[in-house]
Amino acid sequence: MEELRPAGLNRPGTTEWAQGLSRPLVYRYFPGGRQQLYEAALRSAAEQLILCFGEPPAGPPTERVTRVLDRYLAFVDEHDTGFSALLRGGCVVETSRTSAIVDEVRRAAAEQILLHLGSGAAAGPRLRMMVRTWIAAVEAASLIWLDGGKQPAAAELRDWLVDQLMVLLAATAATDPETASAVAALLPLESAGGPAGRLAQRLVPVLGEAAHLLPEDG
């Protein structure tokens, strides 16, 4: 069944996913008709999207996340119409099963990001919530990016999303000991020329303007 490809998400709610197949053949291989065909295409696309978040546990964590987002945004770019309809609930054949597939992608993405942050399944509620919040922001930004004609450039959007992850980590670490320990373990892996180093260099002048907010010594 090579005719059924994730690219079919660009035509949600139609039987054209199975290009080259006649209607009798479609219903032969998918007795449930259009709904079963849609779910099969969605499952295939979901598996492909989950693979975007996999990355070998080597090198600076922010560089790993950068590569993850490169793959993710390339997927969004290629499947723009279907991605937008799917996340906005605009597919005419959306069901609890299709919603569960989308949630599965979100959960798998969160687990992969937690692994990149050195936590994985053992992550506590605050760190896990922070990662899920960031993933929701990535989804929202992707939809806004599509609405805006894919501007700014994907690389610029990617860098901004990596910056957001680091800022969320820092803010959570300020009040959550587990996240603070994770950040302390991750920072030595980063380099001055990498995403974390570049963000730190940009933030120093900004934070300098907030010096008056700090308590005076003594």
Side-chain angles (χ1 to χ4, degrees):
M1 293 297 296
E2 294 180 355
E3 293 84 354
L4 183 60
R5 298 187 294 271
L9 280 176
N10 285 328
R11 293 173 294 277
T14 70
T15 55
E16 283 80 14
W17 292 315
Q19 295 179 8
L21 290 181
S22 65
R23 184 177 294 271
L25 277 178
V26 167
Y27 283 91
R28 173 185 172 186
Y29 288 107
F30 300 95
R34 184 173 63 180
Q35 177 63 34
Q36 186 179 2
L37 180 58
Y38 174 77
E39 290 177 11
L42 178 57
R43 168 59 63 185
S44 177
E47 291 171 355
Q48 182 180 344
L49 189 52
I50 288 172
L51 290 176
C52 292
F53 289 88
E55 183 72 23
T62 55
E63 293 183 13
R64 288 184 239 159
V65 174
T66 295
R67 291 190 289 271
V68 163
L69 285 173
D70 277 336
R71 292 191 292 268
Y72 175 86
L73 291 174
F75 182 94
V76 172
D77 184 22
E78 182 180 356
H79 306 290
D80 47 9
T81 303
F83 180 88
S84 180
L86 181 64
L87 291 187
R88 289 192 168 108
C91 295
V92 296
V93 286
E94 182 181 16
T95 68
S96 60
R97 290 193 299 275
T98 61
S99 296
I101 293 173
V102 175
D103 286 339
E104 180 184 340
V105 173
R106 291 172 177 146
R107 290 193 300 271
E111 293 304 321
Q112 287 296 320
I113 294 300
L114 286 167
L115 285 174
H116 297 319
L117 298 179
S119 296
R126 289 286 300 280
L127 181 55
R128 187 171 293 275
M129 181 181 292
M130 186 227 79
V131 169
R132 290 296 299 267
T133 299
W134 179 73
I135 289 173
V138 170
E139 285 187 5
S142 299
L143 291 173
I144 296 169
W145 183 61
L146 293 178
D147 286 345
K150 302 179 182 179
Q151 293 297 322
E156 185 177 342
L157 175 60
R158 172 206 67 202
D159 290 344
W160 182 63
L161 291 171
V162 174
D163 286 350
Q164 282 197 18
L165 177 60
M166 289 186 282
V167 171
L168 278 172
L169 271 171
T172 307
T175 56
D176 180 48
E178 180 201 5
T179 306
S181 296
V183 170
L186 293 172
L187 284 177
L189 303 176
E190 298 291 336
S191 66
R198 292 194 298 270
L199 177 63
Q201 294 158 30
R202 293 195 303 271
L203 284 179
V204 167
V206 176
L207 294 178
E209 298 297 325
H212 67 286
L213 299 176
L214 300 176
E216 295 182 2
D217 293 339

